[in-house]
Amino acid sequence: MSSENRIDITQPLWDQTTFVGRFRHFAFISNPLLSLVPEKELYQAKELYFKYKEGNEPSETRLEQVVRAKQLYESAFHPDSGELQNVFGRMSFQMPGGCLVTGAMLQWYRTATAVVFWQWVNQSFNALVNYTNRNANSPLTTKQMGAAYVSATSAAMATALTFKFVIQKQAKNPILARFVPFAAVAAANWVNIPLMRQNEILLGLDVTDENGNIIGKSQLAPVKGISQVVTSRIVMCAPGMLLLPVIMERIEPKAWMQRIKWAHIGIQTGIVGLFLTFMVPTACAIFPQRCKLSIDTIKRFEKDRYDEIVKNTDGKPPEYVYFNKGFFL
């Protein structure tokens, strides 16, 4: 391949300082069809990816082959460890996996047993996603991961049951019952993700200057990054879990819907799938991957960390420090 056509395969193909560029990048690697690619093809893509990165790819390699290898590698392999991820935990499986679980939660919400069961299923799926996308640089112990799973599942169930038996009973509008799953999912995310990334909060996260040089650590950095990731995860499921109940409440009484009650779960699942296909890259693109934090904020709340940064920059700390907010977790 000629030098004029070469790309930096380690960097996104689109400008990540704009929402559109981030959306295109995440749509590129979260395409649900990527979940169907066989392992053999994924490993071939990984091999070409690293050969191209080192400049040792076959001379007949075309640019479109490189772009495809980049897409497959980044969609299926862990960014830290380089290991092949479990297919059910990949971003590309968020649409099929999420629409099946969300469709079931929205369909079976009337009884406490159904609420508890489907919240447990959803949190189990989330636990698998979180484990698959865990930070290899800040590994959790089995005990810590178990605590995060139990805590998130408990929070989801407690929120769902409270919403169902306290708030719903006091409200006159029966449609509120359909919002139980969203309230539970939102609460669980605020418990689960901080617990899964607790080591970053406790120990601090590496921060860099504008050129990417590590100049210290900050405990505020992961707090900001985690809050953005949680917000993105809630935004991802919000349209399906907030708009779909309104849609179903309006169309279920229709005569034609009454004749096909058996198809309601399929209809809901399909609509959720449409929402998620668009919302997965949208939610991931809301905040830049490279997050920044004011040095004045660190000086105010983390004096020891600030002093370390000053020392590492010869007394000339930058106005902002930068860090990776976290990918999907």
Side-chain angles (χ1 to χ4, degrees):
M1 179 180 296
S2 64
S3 58
E4 294 82 6
N5 295 327
R6 294 192 72 83
I7 61 172
D8 184 350
I9 200 170
T10 64
Q11 297 300 315
L13 299 175
W14 299 277
D15 181 7
Q16 296 300 285
T17 63
T18 67
F19 172 81
V20 173
R22 294 193 297 272
F23 176 87
R24 295 182 69 182
H25 170 69
F26 285 109
F28 179 66
I29 61 177
S30 66
N31 185 333
L33 296 178
L34 297 176
S35 298
L36 304 176
V37 177
E39 283 192 14
K40 181 180 180 181
E41 187 175 345
L42 293 176
Y43 278 111
Q44 289 174 341
K46 180 180 181 180
E47 182 180 5
L48 178 57
Y49 178 96
F50 281 100
K51 283 186 175 180
Y52 183 87
K53 180 181 176 182
E54 297 164 1
N56 297 324
E57 78 280 2
S59 58
E60 68 276 9
T61 302
R62 302 187 305 277
L63 180 60
E64 55 266 30
Q65 291 177 299
V66 175
V67 172
R68 176 63 173 174
K70 175 181 174 66
Q71 181 184 35
L72 294 181
Y73 175 75
E74 294 183 356
S75 72
F77 292 88
H78 194 283
D80 294 333
S81 65
E83 296 178 356
L84 181 64
Q85 296 176 311
N86 183 302
V87 65
F88 302 112
R90 299 175 196 166
M91 278 192 66
S92 57
F93 194 76
Q94 280 303 294
M95 190 283 278
C99 77
L100 290 174
V101 176
T102 304
M105 286 194 294
L106 293 175
Q107 177 67 21
W108 293 297
Y109 64 91
R110 292 180 175 84
T111 68
T113 302
V115 168
V116 168
F117 175 76
W118 286 109
Q119 286 301 323
W120 170 74
V121 171
N122 184 53
Q123 291 310 313
S124 297
F125 175 63
N126 285 342
L128 177 60
V129 172
N130 291 342
Y131 177 77
T132 302
N133 294 278
R134 66 196 182 281
N135 188 335
N137 296 321
S138 301
L140 293 179
T141 64
T142 302
K143 183 177 180 180
Q144 287 174 315
M145 285 189 287
Y149 170 64
V150 172
S151 299
T153 303
S154 300
M157 291 181 180
T159 303
L161 294 176
T162 300
F163 198 98
K164 183 172 181 62
F165 291 111
V166 179
I167 300 176
Q168 182 189 332
K169 281 188 176 181
Q170 296 177 358
K172 295 180 179 180
N173 194 335
I175 195 176
L176 281 177
R178 293 180 179 269
F179 296 131
V180 169
F182 176 73
V185 168
N189 273 318
W190 279 110
V191 173
N192 196 1
I193 296 176
L195 283 174
M196 287 294 292
R197 294 179 61 178
Q198 59 185 280
N199 283 350
E200 295 178 26
I201 299 175
L202 294 172
L203 304 176
L205 193 64
D206 286 339
V207 293
T208 71
D209 59 18
E210 191 174 31
N211 299 318
N213 302 308
I214 297 176
I215 56 176
K217 286 182 176 289
S218 170
Q219 290 170 285
L220 289 176
V223 171
K224 181 175 182 178
I226 289 168
S227 65
Q228 292 184 351
V229 172
V230 172
T231 301
S232 294
R233 290 279 284 264
I234 294 174
V235 168
M236 185 183 301
C237 65
M241 301 187 89
L242 292 179
L243 296 180
L244 186 55
V246 177
I247 295 172
M248 295 304 293
E249 189 75 10
R250 288 181 176 275
I251 67 174
E252 278 183 351
K254 305 292 184 183
W256 62 274
M257 278 292 282
Q258 291 297 310
R259 291 194 296 269
I260 56 169
K261 285 187 176 182
W262 54 270
H264 287 194
I265 178 62
I267 293 172
Q268 289 200 113
T269 301
I271 296 175
V272 170
L274 291 176
F275 277 126
L276 284 177
T277 299
F278 177 76
M279 287 308 300
V280 170
T282 297
C284 291
I286 294 174
F287 303 106
Q289 194 67 32
R290 191 185 187 212
C291 194
K292 69 179 183 179
L293 185 65
S294 169
I295 194 68
D296 289 336
T297 302
I298 296 178
K299 181 179 181 180
R300 182 180 178 185
F301 296 103
E302 296 184 284
K303 189 63 170 63
D304 292 343
R305 301 291 190 184
Y306 172 78
D307 291 341
E308 178 189 1
I309 292 173
V310 170
K311 180 181 178 181
N312 293 336
T313 55
D314 296 327
K316 299 178 181 178
E319 183 179 359
Y320 292 96
V321 295
Y322 299 84
F323 60 95
N324 191 318
K325 72 175 175 65
F327 187 41
F328 195 52
L329 171 61

